[in-house]
């Protein structure tokens, strides 16, 4: 079965994770590119207005794969907007898919992700793994990292190694 890791990343964290996972699974890596530079303003507008911004390649590029693993940040509790057209493609072209992310996690988990994926793709994911920067930064139970700390954090190579392990294990179980 051919596997694709479909990666979107704004500041590079999910890109680094997606690269590592794709390499370990011998999957093709499809990196989404947006025609216009992404800004904080368009992130907020896309999320508030529930927009489906187009990126390249076209979703039809996913046709040849049996398992699709989406990777990207969580924005305002939801899957990053540039991944939406690809999840929507699955409604008419159903197949197994999963989603993994390294998100901030400063406000706790992202409880709506599972329902959102199901709604957008038409079926439940075979794998959903949302790991948190807050978990990497937290040194003791009394001092939870703030949103500004998690947002500014960029993964180290050691972080990527540690975060990729559970994703690879879960993917292998789902295959
Ligand atoms: C506008 C914005 C909103 C965000 N909202 C959330 C959120 O709701 N939950 C969360 O866990 N992280 C949230 N984050 C943090 C990102 O998911 C996190 O920084 C992620 O690692 C960025 O991934 P990237 O480097 O691949 O773009 C948000 C970040 C931005 C810029």
């Amino acid at each position: 079965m051919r596997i694709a890791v479909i990666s979107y990343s704004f500041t590079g964290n999910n890109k680094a994770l997606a690269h590592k996972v794709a390499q370990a699974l011998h999957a093709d890596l499809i990196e989404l590119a947006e025609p216009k530079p992404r800004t904080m303003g368009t992130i907020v507008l896309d999320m508030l207005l529930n927009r489906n911004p187009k990126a390249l390649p076209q979703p039809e590029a996913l046709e040849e794969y049996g398992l699709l693993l989406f990777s990207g940040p969580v924005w305002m509790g939801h899957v990053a907007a540039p991944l939406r057209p690809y999840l929507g493609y699955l409604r008419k072209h159903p197949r197994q898919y999963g989603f993994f992310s390294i998100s901030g996690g400063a406000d706790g988990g992202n409880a709506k992700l599972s329902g959102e994926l199901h709604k957008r793709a038409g079926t439940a994911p075979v794998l959903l793994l949302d790991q948190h920067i807050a978990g990497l930064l937290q040194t003791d139970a009394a001092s939870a990292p703030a949103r500004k700390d998690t947002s500014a954090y960029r993964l180290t190579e050691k972080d990527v190694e540690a975060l990729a392990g559970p994703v690879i294990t879960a993917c292998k179980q789902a295959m």
Side-chain angles (χ1 to χ4, degrees):
M1 176 168 60
R2 288 193 71 188
I3 306 168
V5 173
I6 301 101
S7 162
Y8 174 78
S9 182
F10 180 48
T11 60
N13 288 340
N14 284 279
K15 176 177 175 158
L17 183 58
H19 271 250
K20 184 67 81 183
V21 170
Q23 196 179 33
L25 296 177
H26 305 291
D28 288 354
L29 180 67
I30 299 177
E31 292 191 85
L32 303 185
E34 298 194 276
K36 284 190 191 160
R38 171 64 61 179
T39 64
M40 207 54 89
T42 59
I43 291 179
V44 173
L45 280 177
D46 280 353
M47 301 321 281
L48 292 179
L49 303 176
N50 195 23
R51 298 195 296 210
N52 286 257
K54 287 197 170 59
L56 288 171
Q58 306 283 355
E60 287 70 23
L62 307 185
E63 183 54 39
E64 60 194 284
Y65 296 97
L67 174 63
L68 302 171
L69 300 170
F70 296 96
S71 166
V74 175
W75 289 340
M76 298 166 75
H78 297 273
V79 176
L83 286 167
R84 289 175 175 169
Y86 303 87
L87 291 167
Y89 175 82
L90 295 184
R91 294 188 78 85
K92 284 192 179 160
H93 305 86
R95 70 204 58 199
Q96 288 199 318
Y97 77 99
F99 176 75
F100 62 90
S101 178
I102 174 65
S103 65
D107 302 314
N110 295 297
K112 291 183 179 163
L113 278 182
S114 172
E116 184 190 4
L117 289 166
H118 198 148
K119 196 168 148 200
R120 290 191 184 278
T123 57
V126 294
L127 139 82
L128 168 54
L129 199 50
D130 176 32
Q131 299 186 89
H132 297 145
I133 290 168
L136 299 173
L137 297 182
Q138 186 147 22
T139 48
D140 62 83
S143 59
R147 206 188 275 184
K148 67 173 174 36
D149 302 319
T150 57
S151 294
Y153 191 73
R154 301 293 170 261
L155 298 184
T156 64
E157 185 52 37
K158 204 170 142 216
D159 294 331
V160 175
E161 287 282 345
L163 294 165
V167 179
I168 293 161
T169 304
C171 290
K172 285 184 175 163
Q173 282 166 357
M175 279 155 60

